[in-house]
Amino acid sequence: MKKKVVILGAGPNRIGQGIEFDYCCVHASFALKEIGYESIMVNCNPETVSTDYDTSDKLYFEPLIFEDVMNIIEKENPLGVILQFGGQTPLKLAIPLKKAKVNILGTSPDAIDIAEDRKKFKKLLDKLGLMQPPSGTARNKKDALKIAHQLEYPVLVRPSYVLGGRAMQIVYDDGMLQEFMEKAIEVSPEHPVLIDKFLEDAAEVDVDAICDGKTCVIGGVMEHVEQAGIHSGDSAMVLPPYSLKEKVINEIKQATKKLALSLNVVGLLNIQFAVKDDNVYILEVNPRASRTVPFVSKVTGVPLAKLATKIMLGMSLKKLHFEKEIRLNYFAVKESVFPFNRFSGIDAVLGPEMRSTGEVIGIDESFEMAYAKSQLAAGQNLPLSGNIFISVRDNHKELIYPIAKGFAELGFKIITTAGTGKFLSEKGLEVTIIGKLHEAVRPNVIDYIKNNQIQMIINTPTGNRPKQDIVSIRTMAIHRSIPLITTARAAHATLLAMKRLKEHKIQVKDIKQYHMM
């Protein structure tokens, strides 16, 4: 009789939780079959592959709550339970299941708790000599205000143990903090609220790794195109990094290995870093599968979720012949797809709370063309001529100048609002300044959009609540399918991609051809 293993899925699919976790659960089931175990899937979403009748040996279509899971475990008496492939939903059950003497396969619940508990985690980082942004924890508004004043605004406020960055917010003043503390306490009343110093305009990096408790191998280091503060599920990511220094990349890899071995990770691990002025900060450690595992697996040709499952059942990375990181001779860009055009009046600005509902991949030998392919696949039809409207916040004006200059050199006409236009024209750039919506001057930017005189919009939002006319511009851009860019780093990547598109034709290859390069 085969030994049984229970896999806990991700539960109902909703905006804010990636369907990528289902990919990991399915691969876990396939891996169990390969090594002779009976796979038992527990999930409650009819739209996923994990609940297909032929994915697992048994399927329990039940809620992912402690009582229901325990009923299944008592009935099936499995060898153990896999939690780390379903995202945050099953991870919440780690401690209750451990207390009920259930065998948790892979990384121990104690290690998971260290990664989630701010004080324990800080102690571990101090011991390893690793940096993180200054932070604190609060359970009420008074404590939150005290911590925010110590750290100085802006700060990042988030509840612990939540899905998809829910109720997470970058906060710029006391009023915003009090408002979002109410939301955070409502979302996760039993856990403290985490408050971090927000590193403005830092580059963010995701790392997926696999560890058998003794050896850690890097699956992939992904540089975010958008700056830190955009949820990793929404940010465009590049594998391998396209702008980081080799020294910084090596420091990130060493920190990943240190943390994996210190936490005694058995299976998958995801770490999010921020890089500012070549200093590496650790933002978050997740001793579980991340939503980038399918991306890394497809791009490198290494089935990370399958390998992790076999490791949880006692196999080593050496036995699985995966002891060395895959070095890529090409670039892959993961870009997110958003539902903004389905919701009238919604502001299409990215932030710490996940909003994407899908993703695409662009692959090429150059970063520029890989990024161009990802944008086209995601529905951003990059123009090769016409007018570009630019309006950015004050502290982004220096960043946007070389980008605007680059577009002008490609033959685009630059149209701006007064503030941005004055700055660019003083730098010697030829621009056309048009009125804002609340100004009496016509034609304004909306007139230009309605008359099809704007081919692309670059607008970085202000830190505080956005003005209604700016929201209207972004909303109209979405509904008219005008490419909209809301970060300076994404604007720079888009410039590089459009320059490449003007000079080269798109070449298409089978992904297996890239794997053989």
Side-chain angles (χ1 to χ4, degrees):
M1 189 175 169
K2 287 182 181 179
K3 290 179 180 176
K4 303 172 183 179
V5 173
V6 168
I7 304 163
L8 299 189
N13 188 34
R14 58 260 201 204
I15 294 174
Q17 180 169 350
I19 199 70
E20 298 90 344
F21 293 127
D22 201 61
Y23 167 100
C24 295
C25 290
V26 170
H27 276 236
S29 187
F30 293 164
L32 289 171
K33 288 180 183 178
E34 286 173 13
I35 55 176
Y37 288 83
E38 182 179 328
S39 62
I40 300 170
M41 188 72 66
V42 181
N43 207 357
C44 54
N45 186 345
E47 297 298 320
T48 60
V49 182
S50 66
T51 54
D52 283 357
Y53 74 95
D54 57 350
T55 295
S56 301
D57 295 306
K58 283 182 186 170
L59 167 67
Y60 281 88
F61 199 86
E62 297 290 344
L64 287 152
I65 54 178
F66 177 73
E67 290 80 3
D68 293 87
V69 171
M70 279 308 298
N71 286 342
I72 294 163
I73 289 168
E74 286 164 9
K75 176 177 168 54
E76 293 291 346
N77 193 26
L79 169 73
V81 177
I82 294 175
L83 298 178
Q84 61 175 262
F85 291 149
Q88 203 69 45
T89 303
L91 220 59
K92 283 183 176 181
L93 300 176
I95 299 297
L97 289 173
K98 185 193 173 193
K99 286 178 180 173
K101 296 189 167 45
V102 173
N103 181 28
I104 308 294
L105 296 174
T107 307
S108 74
D110 292 334
I112 293 166
D113 189 54
I114 289 170
E116 289 281 358
D117 186 294
R118 185 48 57 97
K119 287 178 182 173
K120 292 178 186 174
F121 185 54
K122 188 177 187 311
K123 195 175 174 183
L124 175 64
L125 291 183
D126 290 344
K127 180 184 164 189
L128 297 174
L130 301 173
M131 288 196 299
Q132 68 176 150
S135 62
T137 57
R139 290 185 180 271
N140 55 57
K141 290 181 191 177
K142 186 182 173 185
D143 288 349
L145 286 167
K146 185 181 174 185
I147 291 164
H149 292 162
Q150 287 171 352
L151 299 177
E152 296 183 355
Y153 292 109
V155 293
L156 187 69
V157 181
R158 62 193 173 104
S160 46
Y161 288 95
V162 294
L163 293 164
R166 190 171 161 224
M168 193 186 290
Q169 185 69 32
I170 299 164
V171 169
Y172 291 84
D173 56 45
D174 286 357
M176 285 181 79
L177 180 60
Q178 290 176 324
E179 184 181 323
F180 287 106
M181 274 300 291
E182 286 175 15
K183 285 186 188 177
I185 292 166
E186 186 183 314
V187 166
S188 187
E190 71 275 22
H191 297 295
V193 170
L194 313 177
I195 303 173
D196 298 290
K197 173 65 181 170
F198 178 59
L199 302 172
E200 286 195 285
D201 298 319
E204 193 162 337
V205 179
D206 258 70
V207 180
D208 280 327
I210 187 166
C211 187
D212 60 12
K214 294 177 182 176
T215 305
C216 175
V217 179
I218 304 294
V221 178
M222 293 152 277
E223 180 181 356
H224 292 212
V225 171
E226 286 79 12
Q227 73 275 9
I230 307 296
H231 193 280
S232 61
D234 288 353
S235 182
M237 292 186 192
V238 187
L239 175 64
Y242 72 105
S243 74
L244 297 178
K245 293 176 182 173
E246 198 64 36
K247 173 180 169 289
V248 170
I249 295 169
N250 288 334
E251 192 178 328
I252 286 168
K253 289 178 181 178
Q254 289 309 312
T256 301
K257 289 176 181 179
K258 274 186 187 178
L259 279 161
L261 295 172
S262 298
L263 288 167
N264 196 30
V265 169
V266 178
L268 294 174
L269 170 77
N270 171 264
I271 305 181
Q272 290 164 23
F273 296 87
V275 179
K276 189 171 174 70
D277 303 324
D278 289 343
N279 291 314
V280 175
Y281 299 89
I282 290 165
L283 299 179
E284 196 173 334
V285 174
N286 296 304
R288 58 167 170 82
S290 73
R291 58 178 44 83
T292 48
V293 165
F295 169 59
V296 175
S297 298
K298 287 173 188 291
V299 170
T300 61
V302 177
L304 291 174
K306 275 188 173 183
L307 296 183
T309 304
K310 292 173 182 179
I311 283 168
M312 288 182 224
L313 273 304
M315 297 175 79
S316 66
L317 282 165
K318 186 175 182 179
K319 190 174 180 181
L320 293 167
H321 309 293
F322 186 58
E323 297 179 89
K324 205 173 177 184
E325 179 189 351
I326 302 291
R327 298 279 179 174
L328 302 182
N329 295 316
Y330 49 91
F331 289 87
V333 177
K334 180 218 81 157
E335 182 56 284
S336 300
V337 178
F338 299 93
F340 296 134
N341 61 349
R342 306 290 178 92
F343 302 98
S344 67
I346 194 167
D347 189 9
V349 168
L350 305 182
E353 186 164 355
M354 185 175 159
R355 295 169 124 193
S356 62
T357 49
E359 58 191 32
V360 295
I361 301 175
I363 304 181
D364 200 87
E365 289 167 46
S366 76
F367 160 69
E368 295 86 351
M369 189 58 84
Y371 189 75
K373 287 178 178 179
S374 75
Q375 298 310 294
L376 293 168
Q380 287 258 64
N381 293 312
L382 303 178
L384 297 182
S385 62
N387 300 329
I388 296 178
F389 174 74
I390 302 177
S391 178
V392 297
R393 56 200 278 190
D394 288 342
N395 64 339
H396 283 169
K397 287 186 170 109
E398 283 288 354
L399 292 171
I400 215 70
Y401 166 66
I403 296 166
K405 186 171 181 281
F407 280 119
E409 287 168 355
L410 287 179
F412 288 91
K413 187 176 179 181
I414 307 300
I415 298 173
T416 71
T417 47
T420 304
K422 183 173 181 288
F423 177 85
L424 294 178
S425 59
E426 284 174 358
K427 288 273 195 178
L429 214 57
E430 190 180 322
V431 301
T432 300
I433 295 174
I434 58 175
K436 293 182 179 178
L437 298 193
H438 64 270
E439 295 170 349
V441 183
R442 301 293 290 268
N444 58 35
V445 62
I446 292 295
D447 296 324
Y448 269 74
I449 292 172
K450 285 179 177 176
N451 294 331
N452 299 318
Q453 291 174 286
I454 302 284
Q455 278 63 55
M456 190 164 78
I457 293 173
I458 299 172
N459 170 241
T460 62
T462 54
N464 282 305
R465 295 170 180 81
K467 292 173 183 171
Q468 193 54 47
D469 59 347
I470 292 295
V471 175
S472 300
I473 291 166
R474 292 196 286 254
T475 302
M476 184 166 277
I478 292 295
H479 288 300
R480 286 182 169 255
S481 301
I482 298 169
L484 172 66
I485 298 158
T486 58
T487 69
R489 280 174 62 87
H492 179 250
T494 304
L495 170 62
L496 297 176
M498 287 164 66
K499 189 176 180 185
R500 186 83 180 181
L501 280 173
K502 289 193 84 154
E503 296 168 353
H504 298 84
K505 285 187 177 179
I506 291 177
Q507 302 288 329
V508 179
K509 283 184 189 175
D510 187 301
I511 194 168
K512 289 176 183 174
Q513 290 178 274
Y514 286 106
H515 291 164
M516 291 186 287
M517 285 176 66

